[in-house]
Amino acid sequence: MQLAAIIVSLVLMAVGVALFGRATVQIYRFVKLGQPVPAGTRTDNPWQRAVTVVKEFLGHTRMNKWGVVGVAHWFVAVGFFSLLLTIVNAVGQLFQADWLLPIVGEWAPYNVFVEFIGTMTVLGILVLIAIRQLNRPGGAGRKSRFAGSNTGQAYFVETVILIVGICIFTLHALEGAQHHVDSYEASFFISYPFVAWFRGMDLATLQTLTYFFAGLKIATSFIWMITVALKTDMGVAWHRFLAFPNIFFKRKADGDVALGALLPMTTGGKEIDWEDPAEDATFGVSQVEQFSWKGILDFSTCTECGRCQSQCPAWNTGKPLSPKLLIMSLRDHAHAKAPYLLAGGGKDMEGNEQATPEQLADVPASALAEAERPLIGTVEENGVIDPDVLWSCTTCGACVEQCPVDIEHIDHIVDMRRYQVMIESAFPSEAGTMLKNLEKKGNPWGLAKKQRVEWTKEVDFEVPIVGKTIEDLTEVEYLYWVGCAGALEDRAKKTTKAFAELLHIAGVKFAIMGGDEKCTGDSARRLGNEPLFQQLGAENVAMLNMAYGESLDEDGGVDESTRKPKSSKKIVATCPHCFNTIANEYPQLGGEFEVIHHTQLLQHLIDEGKLIPVTPVEGLITYHDPCYLGRHNKVYTPPREIMSAVPGLRQQEMHRHKERGFCCGAGGARMWMEERIGKRINNERVDEALSLNPDIVSTACPFCLVMLTDSVNGKKNDGKAKESLTVVDVAQLLLDSVKTPAEPTDTPESEIAPEPEPVK
C-alpha cells in the first residue's frame, strides 16, 4: 500500500505540476491576444485594487448577496487556498505515517484551524451540491440558473473537493490516534470521536489507512490539476485562479461594478478621435481577438454559476439571450480559435488572411474551421452569437450587478453592436427610424424643437427659459433638464409638469433650456451608434457650458482635486437615462456637471420642510425601480422615502426589487424596437406587480412609465387588471399630497356651468 501510494502520487504530482505550468503560460498568451486598453485604465491605483481583491475574496462581498450559498462557497474557497499545507503533510505521511509538519504540526492554533476549515469545507461543498441538485436544469428547465452550464464539469469539481475534504478530516483524526490523543483537546474538537474510534485499531492498520487516505488526497488533487491543465476553457475550475486578476483589473479600482457609463470606443488601445479617426481604426468588434485583453480574461473567468442568467429579463421572458451562455460561447470560440491566432493568423477589414501558409501549416483543422465562423451570425450561418441574442439585451445591468467574478457583460455586448450598426448597418429596422429622427431633429420622435417648451403653456406659473426669460444659469439654482420624453411624450409630460410645479411651490429657482438642446444620446450609444452619440453629446456640452456663462472658470469650472464642478449650478433630470448620460458619460466629452435625479431633490425638499405632504393618497402602492436609476446609479432610497412621506399610502415591494429589480424592457434602445420573441418584458413586470393587487404602481422614469402604462392598459382591456389601477411617477403622487384639496363650494350643482366639449 505504501509503495503504491508513493509511486502513484509522485508520478501524478510531477505530471500535474508540469502540465499546470504549461497551461498557465497558455492562458497568459491567450489573454494577451486581446487588444490593449488605454494606458492606466486598468492599472490605476494598484493599492486600492489590491484592497478590492482582498475585500471581495475574504469578505465574499459579491457572493454573500445569495445568503447560504455565499457562506458555503466562502468555506470552500478559503479552504482551497488555506489548506494547501495539508498536501505537504500528506506527502510526508506517505513516507512516515505519523509525520507532522515542522513547527506548526504540533501547534494547537494551526490544528484547530485545519480541523474547523476542513470540516466546514466538506459541509460547504455538500450544501453547494444539494443546491445544484435542487436547481438542476432537468427539473426547472430555463428557470434553472444552471441551464446550459457544463454539468459534468461541475460534478467533477464538486466530487474532487468532497473527496479531498474527507481525506483532510480523516488524516487529521488518524494523526490524533497515532500520537496517542487519549482525551478531548482543542486540536481535535470536532474529530475526537473518530480519534477515539481509530485508537482502538492496531498500529499497522492505522499506518495502512494513513497511506491510503494520503495517497487518495494527493491523487485526487493532482488528477484535478491534470484535468484542468488539459482543458483551459474549464471555467468552473479556472475561475478560482483567474478571478483574482479579473477583479484586480476591473473597470473601477474602488470595487464598484462596471455600470453607469459605457466605455469610449478604442482602437489599438487608444480612444478614437472622431474628428480624425485613424485609417486603420477598428470600429466595434467583429472578431473575437478584437475584444480587449480584459474581455478575453472575462470570458475565461466565467464560472457558469448562472446568477446573471437567473436575473436577466430577456432570458426570463423566453428570449435567446442568456448573459452566461453569451460569455461561454465567446470563451469557447476564443479558446478554439487560439491556436490559429497564436500562429499569426488573422484577417484584415476586407477579410484577407494576414498569415502565410507556412505559419498556419501546423494549426489544427478544428482551429482553422473555427476561424472561419462569423462572430455574429444566425445558426444557418454558423455564427458564434445569433443577432437575436445581441438585440435582446436591455442593458439593465442585472448581469453585471450579480456576477461574483466581475465580468463586464454590457461592455462586450455594446462593442459587438457597434460593429453591427456602424460597419454592417445590421440592426432592427424600427430602430433606424429613431436614429434618423435623432440625426435630423435631435429627438427620437422627430418633432420640431419648438415643441420642447409647449408644456410650459399648460402650467399656471411662469417657467424660466434660458435665453428668453433669463440670460443664463447664473440667475437660478437648478437647470431642469426636461429631456425628450419629458417634453414630448404625453404621459411623461405629466411628470414634467408635476415636478415643475413642486419646484415652484418649494420656491426653488430653476430654468429649462429653450428647445435648442438635443437628445442626450443614450439610446444611440447603447444601440451602437457611437458617432451619433458623440455628435449629440458634444453639441449639448457646448450648449450647457455656454448657458452657464461666466459662472464657469476658464479651466472649465472643474476642481482638479475632486473632479467636481467649481460652479454651484446644478442639473436636475426626471429621466434616469438623461441623468446617467450627463452625469457619467458627458465627462468623457469635457462636460463636468453636478447632476441629480428629481427624486433626490424632492426628498431633500421634503426633509427641509419646503414640501409638506398633507393630503392623504389612499391605497396600496408598489414601486418599480428603473434600472438606470437603481442598478446603474444606486439611487434606491429617495423614491421610497417620498412615498413614505405621503400619508395614506401603504407600500409593498415586488419580489424583485432594488438590486434585483426587474427591467421594464425599454433600456438599451429597446424602447424603439419591437419585441417579437417570447413574453413582453413589461408584461412580465406588470404581472409581478398585479400579484400584489395594488391600487398604484409608481416609478421614477419616463421610459418605465410608458412601458408599464402600456402593459396595464392592455391588461385592463383583457379584464386582468382592475380599472382603478394607475401608473404614476412619484412626483405626481407627491404633488397630489402637497396640494391641499379645494374648498367645497356652496354653489348649487345646477348653477355650475358644464365643462366645454373638447376640441376634436
Side-chain angles (χ1 to χ4, degrees):
M1 174 66 73
Q2 182 182 21
L3 183 60
I6 290 173
I7 293 173
V8 171
S9 297
L10 292 181
V11 170
L12 288 174
M13 287 171 65
V15 174
V17 169
L19 290 178
F20 194 79
R22 186 189 71 168
T24 302
V25 173
Q26 287 176 335
I27 289 178
Y28 176 75
R29 294 179 64 207
F30 169 64
V31 170
K32 286 197 69 177
L33 288 171
Q35 299 302 303
V37 298
T41 57
R42 297 288 180 175
T43 54
D44 59 304
N45 204 342
W47 172 250
Q48 179 63 59
R49 290 181 176 276
V51 170
T52 295
V53 173
V54 173
K55 285 170 59 178
E56 288 202 20
F57 176 65
L58 291 183
H60 254 45
T61 52
R62 313 284 300 148
M63 286 290 298
N64 282 336
K65 295 179 178 180
W66 290 72
V68 67
V69 177
V71 175
H73 189 275
W74 187 90
F75 283 107
V76 172
V78 170
F80 177 82
F81 291 103
S82 64
L83 297 177
L84 289 176
L85 281 178
T86 61
I87 291 182
V88 179
N89 198 61
V91 173
Q93 288 169 325
L94 288 177
F95 295 90
Q96 182 181 327
D98 61 351
W99 188 81
L100 295 175
L101 287 167
I103 303 174
V104 299
E106 296 184 82
W107 189 38
Y110 173 74
N111 283 287
V112 169
F113 177 81
V114 170
E115 179 94 340
F116 177 69
I117 295 297
T119 304
M120 294 307 295
T121 297
V122 172
L123 294 177
I125 198 63
L126 287 173
V127 168
L128 296 180
I129 290 172
I131 289 172
R132 185 176 293 275
Q133 293 307 305
L134 292 172
N135 292 277
R136 64 187 186 278
R142 282 177 67 99
K143 293 297 182 182
S144 168
R145 62 185 175 91
F146 298 117
S149 298
N150 291 297
T151 305
Q153 294 180 6
Y155 287 160
F156 168 70
V157 170
E158 289 168 346
T159 302
V160 165
I161 295 171
L162 181 60
I163 292 173
V164 169
I166 291 173
C167 288
I168 291 173
F169 183 87
T170 306
L171 287 170
H172 195 234
L174 286 166
E175 284 178 21
Q178 292 179 84
H179 287 274
H180 309 293
V181 175
D182 53 9
S183 61
Y184 179 85
E185 60 181 62
S187 295
F188 301 92
F189 73 104
I190 298 175
S191 63
Y192 181 73
F194 295 89
V195 173
W197 181 49
F198 286 136
R199 204 171 55 238
M201 300 179 182
D202 60 75
L203 181 60
T205 302
L206 290 177
Q207 290 176 336
T208 300
L209 287 173
T210 300
Y211 301 145
F212 173 78
F213 281 103
L216 179 61
K217 172 178 168 36
I218 294 170
T220 303
S221 299
F222 285 91
I223 287 173
W224 173 87
M225 181 177 284
I226 292 169
T227 302
V228 302
L230 294 174
K231 192 164 181 58
T232 54
D233 60 351
M234 191 174 175
V236 70
W238 276 101
H239 82 276
R240 64 182 56 196
F241 304 108
L242 298 180
F244 296 107
N246 207 52
I247 295 169
F248 183 88
F249 294 119
K250 67 192 298 185
R251 190 199 295 184
K252 299 179 182 180
D254 62 1
D256 202 2
V257 292
L259 294 175
L262 283 177
L263 293 176
M265 279 185 67
T266 61
T267 182
K270 297 180 180 178
E271 290 187 25
I272 293 176
D273 180 357
W274 292 101
E275 294 183 359
D276 184 24
E279 291 185 6
D280 60 346
T282 301
F283 299 101
V285 169
S286 62
Q287 300 290 331
V288 72
E289 63 270 23
Q290 292 171 350
F291 286 107
S292 71
W293 60 260
K294 176 57 170 67
I296 304 293
L297 182 59
D298 268 0
F299 308 153
S300 302
T301 307
C302 178
T303 182
E304 304 179 21
C305 67
R307 282 164 174 66
C308 57
Q309 179 174 286
S310 70
Q311 303 297 301
C312 178
W315 182 259
N316 276 278
T317 52
K319 296 168 182 59
L321 168 64
S322 156
K324 177 188 72 177
L325 299 180
L326 173 87
I327 295 298
M328 288 171 58
S329 296
L330 292 171
R331 176 198 66 199
D332 295 345
H333 172 60
H335 277 265
K337 190 177 178 180
Y340 163 79
L341 297 171
L342 290 170
K347 297 182 180 180
D348 58 22
M349 296 295 290
E350 285 74 36
N352 301 313
E353 179 58 63
Q354 296 175 309
T356 64
E358 291 75 17
Q359 288 176 291
L360 302 179
D362 297 328
V363 176
S366 59
L368 293 174
E370 195 71 26
E372 295 301 317
R373 295 182 67 191
L375 186 66
I376 308 298
T378 62
V379 174
E380 292 75 15
E381 296 167 334
N382 196 27
V384 178
I385 305 297
D386 191 280
D388 285 334
V389 169
L390 200 61
W391 297 113
S392 293
C393 180
T394 66
T395 67
C396 70
C399 50
V400 179
E401 176 69 37
Q402 293 298 327
C403 182
V405 292
D406 288 299
I407 293 171
E408 300 167 2
H409 312 72
I410 292 177
D411 290 347
H412 309 318
I413 290 173
V414 172
D415 272 339
M416 290 185 282
R417 283 184 171 188
R418 284 165 168 168
Y419 179 83
Q420 292 297 299
V421 172
M422 296 170 59
I423 305 301
E424 298 290 339
S425 295
F427 51 90
S429 58
E430 53 278 16
T433 303
M434 178 268 293
L435 293 177
K436 289 177 183 176
N437 288 336
L438 289 180
E439 291 171 358
K440 294 179 180 179
K441 297 292 186 178
N443 67 78
W445 287 276
L447 299 175
K449 68 178 184 179
K450 66 180 181 180
Q451 291 187 244
R452 284 185 174 272
V453 296
E454 286 297 303
W455 67 269
T456 61
K457 300 175 183 177
E458 301 171 21
V459 295
D460 56 5
F461 55 91
E462 182 183 17
V463 177
I465 299 175
V466 177
K468 295 182 180 178
T469 53
I470 64 169
E471 185 176 345
D472 60 32
L473 292 171
T474 59
E475 301 179 35
V476 296
E477 187 178 358
Y478 288 96
L479 165 66
Y480 173 21
W481 184 273
V482 179
C484 301
L488 303 172
E489 206 282 327
D490 288 340
R491 286 162 288 190
K493 281 198 289 186
K494 295 178 181 178
T495 303
T496 301
K497 291 183 284 188
F499 179 59
E501 187 169 352
L502 286 167
L503 294 181
H504 177 71
I505 292 171
V508 176
K509 291 185 177 181
F510 74 98
I512 65 171
M513 301 306 298
D516 290 328
E517 71 271 29
K518 304 288 182 67
C519 173
T520 58
D522 162 84
S523 292
R525 190 174 216 195
R526 279 150 185 79
L527 183 73
N529 195 328
E530 184 71 10
L532 181 55
F533 164 76
Q534 294 285 331
Q535 176 191 332
L536 294 169
E539 291 176 3
N540 281 333
V541 167
M543 178 203 60
L544 287 170
N545 284 337
M546 185 177 296
Y548 277 112
E550 296 180 355
S551 67
L552 291 179
D553 301 332
E554 291 182 0
D555 63 358
V558 178
D559 185 334
E560 291 298 331
S561 64
T562 63
R563 296 304 303 163
K564 291 188 177 295
K566 293 178 181 177
S567 167
S568 61
K569 299 298 178 283
K570 303 177 180 69
I571 298 176
V572 58
T574 43
C575 175
H577 297 265
C578 297
F579 164 56
N580 178 70
T581 303
I582 301 172
N584 299 323
E585 297 186 336
Y586 278 10
Q588 299 171 5
L589 309 177
E592 298 278 354
F593 308 106
E594 189 173 347
V595 191
I596 60 172
H597 189 251
H598 76 289
T599 56
Q600 294 173 300
L601 180 53
L602 291 177
Q603 180 202 357
H604 178 67
L605 294 174
I606 292 172
D607 292 343
E608 286 191 330
K610 294 182 179 179
L611 290 175
I612 304 175
V614 290
T615 304
V617 179
E618 300 293 341
L620 176 66
I621 188 169
T622 189
Y623 175 72
H624 164 79
D625 285 285
C627 299
Y628 273 80
L629 183 63
R631 268 191 296 268
H632 282 273
N633 286 282
K634 306 296 182 287
V635 179
Y636 296 111
T637 303
R640 289 172 168 82
E641 292 202 354
I642 292 170
M643 291 185 291
S644 296
V646 175
L649 285 178
R650 293 173 287 116
Q651 292 186 54
Q652 187 169 349
E653 297 282 10
M654 285 183 266
H655 175 66
R656 293 175 287 200
H657 64 279
K658 293 188 176 179
E659 290 87 352
R660 296 194 193 181
F662 198 77
C663 183
C664 74
R670 290 293 324 174
M671 176 80 171
W672 319 105
M673 293 183 252
E674 291 297 328
E675 198 169 340
R676 298 186 176 91
I677 303 174
K679 183 179 181 180
R680 291 183 64 89
I681 294 174
N682 60 338
N683 285 340
E684 172 75 8
R685 186 53 163 166
V686 167
D687 283 342
E688 185 172 1
L690 292 178
S691 68
L692 304 177
N693 193 28
D695 301 296
I696 305 168
V697 176
S698 66
T699 188
C701 170
F703 284 12
C704 296
L705 192 70
V706 169
M707 299 297 284
L708 298 177
T709 302
D710 283 349
S711 179
V712 166
N713 288 342
K715 291 182 182 299
K716 285 181 179 179
N717 293 335
D718 295 338
K720 297 178 180 179
K722 56 189 179 185
E723 284 297 324
S724 59
L725 178 62
T726 57
V727 181
V728 296
D729 188 282
V730 291
Q732 295 169 261
L733 285 172
L734 181 59
L735 180 62
D736 288 343
S737 184
V738 167
K739 294 172 71 174
T740 56
E743 292 294 329
T745 177
D746 294 330
T747 307
E749 187 176 341
S750 59
E751 297 182 19
I752 299 176
E755 292 186 4
E757 288 290 326
V759 177
K760 295 184 180 179

